[in-house]
Amino acid sequence: MAVFADALAPLYQYLLPLATRPNGLKLLAAVVALYVFKYRSHAVGTRPRRDLKQPKGAVPFLGHMLLMAAVDGQELYQFLEKQYNELGPVWSISLPLIGRMTQIDTPENLEHVLKANFWSYEKGPLFTWMLGDLVGHGIFTRDGAEWRFQRKLASHIFNVKAFREYTSDVFVIEGKKVLDYLGKAADEGTVVDFQALMLHFTLDSFGAVSFGKSFGCLDNIEQEVPYAVSFDDLTEIVAQRLKDPVWPLRERLTGVDKKVQYHKSVIRGYALDIIEKRRREGFSASKKDLLQWLLEAKDDEGNPLSEDLLVDNILSFSIAGRDTTAQALTWMFYSIYRDGADKDIAKILTKEVDDVLQGGDPTYESYKQHKYAEACFHEALRIYPVSPRNLKVCVKDDVLPDGTKIHVGEWVAWSSYVMGRSERIWGPDAKEYRPSRWINAEKPSQGKFPAFHVGPRVCLGQQFATIEAMSMLGMILQSFEINLAEPSKEAKYGVSVTFPMVDGLGIRVKRRSH
């Protein structure tokens, strides 16, 4: 708001004196015309960037606000891909209250911004403004010392020793609940929403690993868990804000603000219950979980973390711990079993599972042998990335490797969705689901495959998510044959800060005869 007011301040200075002059209306009209001309192609409060390509549709003062408002949330990434194909990997829009946003979809630009020149770009206050109702001041919205502090705490639960324990003590135990449910569905011939089932599995698993308490999603799969429902609904609401600079007004006028407060009370209340239970019952396990590290942490002044910050971190890590594995497995199953898919992929995958597990439970050692399964997982993340778009604000003037200038206060954005489907980056078969591209091939750079982010902020739970996926995948394919309920239906993504499949993924399962 301050930027908007500052930009119009000179106009205000003209208005009052002109109102009492005989030629006031003429002068006022001239001043307005001047400002319309000045901001004819970009939003008020932003500088013109004629050196950057821009989509058609910019209007005076508002820039590309109306254009972006017209883009359906379920068509956003197709819109970004269209601009990429027409304008190239670097193009720009301007939005009032938000500012100039430049898309930088090349591996070289991405590595520069997120790694080589890391400290010149930050999340900035915009993230907290838009996502704060969901994650508050958790790790996803923090920069500098606050971010380093929270990341160090989380790093304690992501190590090889812990991975060994998680595989046998959590993933297998929770996975067997999934198998029991699928077995019942096989016997009754019912359709299972695979995405919903995987979200139950990953949320329960992450709760057990990080907070010493399962969320109870798999205890009664048919019953909705209020925490999970509010979590999803609030995630969709804040995702809509990312392209709407006047979202506070829209939410107030439509009553969405009341829904926000309700969903916040549900998820924050649940997180507080977790904290209070730990304080009440204490901690006796031999290895600290994430919650215990958070409870014992002290800030620079030696004070424990506030209740709000504890809750913010629980919610932030719950997003990461739940969505990555569940959504990637959902898109992976869709890609493998849909009509038109290469049938050899499913055969090779099932054979590898049988050869590696040989009828037993998955372990940390067996995970390392699932080369083809991991290739299938990464290929799904390439085409259907769980974090399809991200952005940061420039805090120090910079020049990208391709010569693009980025000024202080301007935003850079990138789309893993667009880059993963780019023929310039992945070749002519970029949109084809082909796991073999990962076998006996050079590992792609983080900039080329940014599904787990790039540089110092690379996802701490990358290996955690992969082990979890391999464990669940192996247990399912070892026991069941999979078919999609609607194999010819084209899957679409939902409105979210992650990449869920709208309407879920219906599957039918049949017990395998070994």
Side-chain angles (χ1 to χ4, degrees):
M1 291 298 290
V3 173
F4 191 84
D6 290 344
L8 294 182
L11 179 59
Y12 298 153
Q13 293 173 6
Y14 277 101
L15 295 182
L16 290 178
L18 290 179
T20 60
R21 296 177 187 174
N23 293 323
L25 289 178
K26 292 181 180 179
L27 290 172
L28 176 59
V31 172
V32 171
L34 175 64
Y35 269 78
V36 169
F37 179 78
K38 180 178 180 180
Y39 292 106
R40 65 190 183 279
S41 62
H42 57 285
V44 66
T46 65
R47 71 172 73 194
R49 291 294 305 270
R50 295 180 181 84
D51 57 317
L52 295 174
K53 295 179 181 179
Q54 300 183 51
K56 296 178 181 178
V59 298
F61 292 109
L62 299 180
H64 294 87
M65 176 180 163
L66 299 182
L67 173 67
M68 295 307 298
V71 177
D72 187 285
Q74 292 181 347
E75 298 291 331
L76 175 61
Y77 304 115
Q78 286 92 327
F79 169 82
L80 297 178
E81 189 176 17
K82 180 176 182 289
Q83 304 312 314
Y84 177 93
N85 291 331
E86 293 180 356
L87 303 176
V90 177
W91 52 276
S92 182
I93 61 173
S94 63
L95 299 170
L97 305 181
I98 293 178
R100 173 144 322 262
M101 191 176 296
T102 301
Q103 204 74 21
I104 58 164
D105 293 328
T106 73
E108 297 78 17
N109 284 344
L110 211 53
E111 298 239 357
H112 174 85
V113 166
L114 301 180
K115 185 186 294 185
N117 211 17
F118 176 76
W119 297 109
S120 291
Y121 297 87
E122 295 182 348
K123 290 288 187 178
L126 183 68
F127 263 78
T128 304
W129 183 54
M130 292 191 293
L131 305 183
D133 286 319
L134 181 64
V135 295
H137 291 80
I139 191 170
F140 293 142
T141 61
R142 298 297 87 195
D143 293 302
E146 290 181 274
W147 164 73
R148 286 195 299 268
F149 175 74
Q150 294 184 36
R151 185 176 175 88
K152 183 177 180 181
L153 287 176
S155 67
H156 290 293
I157 69 167
F158 296 110
N159 55 70
V160 172
K161 182 179 179 182
F163 291 149
R164 294 180 189 276
E165 296 173 359
Y166 301 156
T167 306
S168 56
D169 296 346
V170 177
F171 299 155
V172 170
I173 291 173
E174 299 297 333
K176 287 183 177 179
K177 297 178 185 178
V178 172
L179 296 187
D180 289 343
Y181 182 75
L182 290 176
K184 181 181 177 183
D187 295 340
E188 297 177 354
T190 55
V191 174
V192 173
D193 182 348
F194 184 71
Q195 178 173 252
L197 184 60
M198 288 300 96
L199 287 169
H200 286 357
F201 164 70
T202 55
L203 189 57
D204 276 3
S205 296
F206 195 75
V209 166
S210 301
F211 315 128
K213 177 185 177 181
S214 166
F215 285 84
C217 300
L218 291 173
D219 294 339
N220 188 349
I221 295 175
E222 302 298 335
Q223 182 177 339
E224 288 188 333
V225 177
Y227 173 86
V229 173
S230 286
F231 205 94
D232 285 336
D233 288 349
L234 188 53
T235 299
E236 180 175 344
I237 290 171
V238 301
Q240 295 280 14
R241 299 172 178 176
L242 295 173
K243 64 185 185 72
D244 180 10
V246 295
W247 64 263
L249 178 62
R250 173 179 55 79
E251 291 184 6
R252 182 70 180 272
L253 293 176
T254 58
V256 171
D257 58 334
K258 293 182 175 60
K259 294 181 180 180
V260 169
Q261 294 308 312
Y262 168 74
H263 293 313
K264 276 181 66 177
S265 68
V266 171
I267 63 175
R268 295 188 76 84
Y270 196 93
L272 277 172
D273 287 344
I274 292 174
I275 294 168
E276 291 169 0
K277 181 181 179 182
R278 174 63 59 85
R279 285 174 171 160
R280 206 169 48 242
E281 299 178 358
F283 183 74
S284 57
S286 58
K287 184 176 180 60
K288 294 180 185 178
D289 57 15
L290 178 59
L291 177 58
Q292 197 60 29
W293 282 106
L294 291 170
L295 288 171
E296 295 179 9
K298 298 288 192 294
D299 62 21
D300 292 339
E301 298 177 357
N303 300 314
L305 304 187
S306 67
E307 296 285 284
D308 282 341
L309 189 53
L310 289 171
V311 170
D312 292 344
N313 274 280
I314 287 176
L315 298 179
S316 295
F317 286 108
S318 293
I319 291 178
R322 183 186 80 143
D323 288 1
T324 301
T325 302
Q327 292 177 10
L329 282 175
T330 300
W331 288 107
M332 175 179 162
F333 270 45
Y334 167 73
S335 300
I336 293 174
Y337 297 106
R338 64 182 295 190
D339 280 352
D342 183 349
K343 301 302 181 184
D344 287 339
I345 296 175
K347 293 177 182 178
I348 296 171
L349 181 59
T350 301
K351 183 179 186 305
E352 180 184 81
V353 166
D354 290 343
D355 291 344
V356 171
L357 296 183
Q358 297 184 9
D361 291 334
T363 64
Y364 176 74
E365 283 68 28
S366 68
Y367 135 75
K368 292 183 287 186
Q369 300 176 52
H370 284 297
K371 301 300 183 184
Y372 193 75
E374 187 170 349
C376 292
F377 185 64
H378 285 162
E379 183 71 344
L381 281 169
R382 178 183 71 82
I383 303 176
Y384 306 103
V386 175
S387 180
R389 193 180 188 223
N390 214 326
L391 63 160
K392 299 188 83 172
V393 66
C394 180
V395 296
K396 183 180 179 182
D397 286 348
D398 190 25
V399 178
L400 303 184
D402 63 6
T404 301
K405 294 179 180 179
I406 306 294
H407 301 291
V408 170
E410 294 183 340
W411 292 86
V412 293
W414 63 97
S415 173
S416 300
Y417 176 95
V418 171
M419 294 177 68
R421 294 158 179 261
S422 168
E423 292 186 6
R424 305 183 192 189
I425 298 173
W426 289 95
D429 62 349
K431 294 184 179 180
E432 179 185 339
Y433 182 81
R434 188 169 64 82
S436 59
R437 78 174 77 241
W438 297 84
I439 303 298
N440 298 322
E442 181 180 351
K443 183 179 179 180
S445 67
Q446 291 179 349
K448 182 177 179 179
F449 179 61
F452 291 102
H453 210 68
V454 179
R457 291 190 86 124
V458 69
C459 177
L460 279 170
Q462 177 175 350
Q463 192 174 6
F464 176 97
T466 306
I467 296 171
E468 183 180 41
M470 297 304 98
S471 299
M472 189 71 266
L473 175 71
M475 294 177 74
I476 292 174
L477 295 186
Q478 183 172 236
S479 302
F480 300 99
E481 295 178 9
I482 308 295
N483 288 287
L484 299 189
E486 298 179 89
S488 61
K489 179 182 177 181
E490 182 179 358
K492 297 183 177 181
Y493 56 85
V495 179
S496 177
V497 294
T498 55
F499 204 68
M501 186 180 293
V502 69
D503 298 329
L505 182 67
I507 65 169
R508 295 184 184 277
V509 294
K510 178 182 178 182
R511 294 182 187 273
R512 290 183 61 193
S513 55
H514 292 280

